[in-house]
Amino acid sequence: MALEIWTIKKLLEWISEYFETNGVDSPRLSAELLLCHILKLERIQLYTLYDRVVQADQLTALRALVKRGAEHEPIAYLVGRCEFYSLPLKITPDCLIPRPETEHLVERSVDFLRNRPSPQYVLDLCTGSGCIAAAIAKNVKDVRIVATDICDNALKVAAENIHRHKLEDKVTLLCGDLFDAIIEGLDQTRFDLIVSNPPYVSDLEYEKLDHNVKKYEPKLALYAGIDGLDIYKRIMEKVDQFLKPDGALMMEIGYAQGPAIQQMLEQSGIFKEINIEKDFANNDRIAIAKKLL
Ligand SMILES: C[S@@+](CC[C@H](N)C(=O)[O-])C[C@H]1O[C@@H](n2cnc3c(N)ncnc32)[C@H](O)[C@@H]1O
């Protein structure tokens, strides 16, 4: 990118092509997001300001990001934000980049909560950026959410997201190992819904994981023991204690984990309805279990 006259149009075309040549996912969209970030514009404005000349200092900043993008550093980390369930969220390398598949979990949670008398109490285990808690809080009127994570730095990002969307009255963030973050007598201890997108990548899957996910996203957010089931097993040990009768447990699961999770839920003996739902790619993606009365 030589320092000549570069308009938004010319830059968009050049960066898209450069990303395409370097095998970057969604090259045009990635180019748009980087330009928006540097120029502080909305995506639509790129097209209304197509002929605007980009200044030298902005070009220098853009150049550095384009280089990192071409090396497959996730665009969400480069621009420090992403969108989840139509909510703009802050993202740093301390937290997993929320995936579109996880929106399905939010959709199910919102449906479940809206059909019950309020107020509803929700526990979001492994909240990371706070994406699930924020999306539920934004879409369910009278809800109180406790969201926990073991990673303090991820929780700092979650706190910013909760603050940005003015959800402090609805969401409490706690740091700790799964349920251990909750203090009996101080915090809510029985929930209508326990929702979680925990780490669920197995040893073998971690080895084969996309190089860029492995390189840039936190292992703590992904890896869960030899079979990837460590965290589910630990959730199952305590779910009865924290879930109200007739409440629901909803968890995102790995594409090959449906049968193992189904068995785990059945063996607990505390659930009346158990469903494993598939995502748009027809992979197992969500486990939903309703507790006996
Ligand atoms: C797959 S990420 C999910 C983040 C977010 N909920 C989402 O859907 O994008 C899993 C999260 O679990 C957290 N985590 C890992 N082990 C944990 C544990 N033992 N207790 C609580 N949180 C844990 C990680 O720090 C990470 O933020």
Side-chain angles (χ1 to χ4, degrees):
M1 202 190 303
L3 289 180
E4 51 185 76
I5 301 288
W6 285 92
T7 60
I8 289 179
K9 177 174 186 287
K10 202 167 145 190
L11 276 167
L12 265 182
E13 285 164 0
W14 188 87
I15 300 169
S16 305
E17 205 180 307
Y18 185 65
F19 278 170
E20 189 153 7
T21 313
N22 283 279
V24 173
D25 283 345
S26 312
R28 178 79 182 188
L29 175 64
S30 300
E32 288 177 358
L33 293 173
L34 288 189
L35 263 167
C36 285
H37 175 65
I38 293 293
L39 303 178
K40 300 189 174 35
L41 295 175
E42 297 298 323
R43 267 173 72 203
I44 183 74
Q45 292 177 294
L46 294 179
Y47 293 90
T48 56
L49 300 168
Y50 229 37
D51 295 320
R52 179 193 275 189
V53 174
V54 176
Q55 303 304 310
D57 56 335
Q58 294 174 318
L59 278 178
T60 306
L62 184 64
R63 185 193 179 95
L65 292 188
V66 168
K67 187 165 182 291
R68 288 164 64 187
E71 284 160 7
H72 299 272
E73 194 165 337
I75 301 295
Y77 288 153
L78 292 179
V79 301
R81 64 187 184 133
C82 70
E83 198 164 293
F84 179 78
Y85 215 74
S86 301
L87 286 180
L89 296 176
K90 175 177 172 153
I91 286 295
T92 74
D94 289 313
C95 35
L96 190 90
I97 301 166
R99 306 296 203 262
E101 295 91 314
T102 308
E103 294 184 335
H104 186 174
L105 186 63
V106 172
E107 205 171 290
R108 284 285 176 275
S109 301
V110 169
D111 283 350
F112 174 77
L113 294 165
R114 280 187 181 158
N115 285 314
R116 287 164 66 93
S118 53
Q120 291 286 299
Y121 293 90
V122 176
L123 173 60
D124 172 21
L125 293 171
C126 304
T127 196
S129 62
C131 58
I132 296 174
I136 293 176
K138 201 77 190 168
N139 288 281
V140 182
K141 209 166 152 235
D142 198 2
V143 71
R144 303 279 180 279
I145 304 176
V146 173
T148 78
D149 201 287
I150 202 164
C151 173
D152 203 31
N153 284 340
L155 279 179
K156 284 182 185 144
V157 177
E160 284 192 47
N161 286 325
I162 297 306
H163 176 71
R164 175 179 186 171
H165 293 290
K166 300 185 174 59
L167 297 169
E168 288 101 331
D169 291 349
K170 289 175 142 185
V171 182
T172 303
L173 297 168
L174 301 176
C175 189
D177 185 0
L178 299 177
F179 300 96
D180 289 358
I182 297 166
I183 300 176
E184 179 96 52
L186 183 64
D187 303 308
Q188 179 70 26
T189 48
R190 299 283 268 179
F191 298 91
D192 298 275
L193 170 68
I194 297 179
V195 63
S196 185
N197 176 19
Y200 55 71
V201 173
S202 69
D203 256 354
L204 202 65
E205 285 164 347
Y206 194 78
E207 285 315 306
K208 292 188 194 153
L209 209 59
D210 191 89
H211 171 71
N212 309 311
V213 174
K214 226 157 106 171
K215 183 166 174 195
Y216 295 106
E217 300 202 62
K219 187 172 183 182
L220 182 63
L222 297 161
Y223 178 73
I226 292 179
D227 55 6
L229 299 172
D230 281 9
I231 301 283
Y232 299 115
K233 288 176 191 160
R234 295 189 47 225
I235 290 176
M236 291 312 301
E237 282 167 15
K238 295 205 173 158
V239 67
D240 192 18
Q241 183 188 332
F242 288 90
L243 191 60
K244 287 185 189 171
D246 206 33
L249 171 66
M250 301 195 185
M251 303 184 292
E252 182 166 320
I253 61 172
Y255 72 96
Q257 292 173 330
I261 301 284
Q262 170 107 28
Q263 193 184 30
M264 224 182 262
L265 291 164
E266 280 170 5
Q267 281 176 352
S268 74
I270 64 163
F271 295 108
K272 57 183 174 190
E273 274 171 52
I274 298 168
N275 285 303
I276 304 293
E277 297 191 2
K278 294 194 181 293
D279 60 19
F280 293 120
N282 209 31
N283 292 317
D284 289 344
R285 189 55 63 199
I286 291 182
I288 299 182
K290 305 248 174 76
K291 194 174 167 182
L292 292 160
L293 263 177

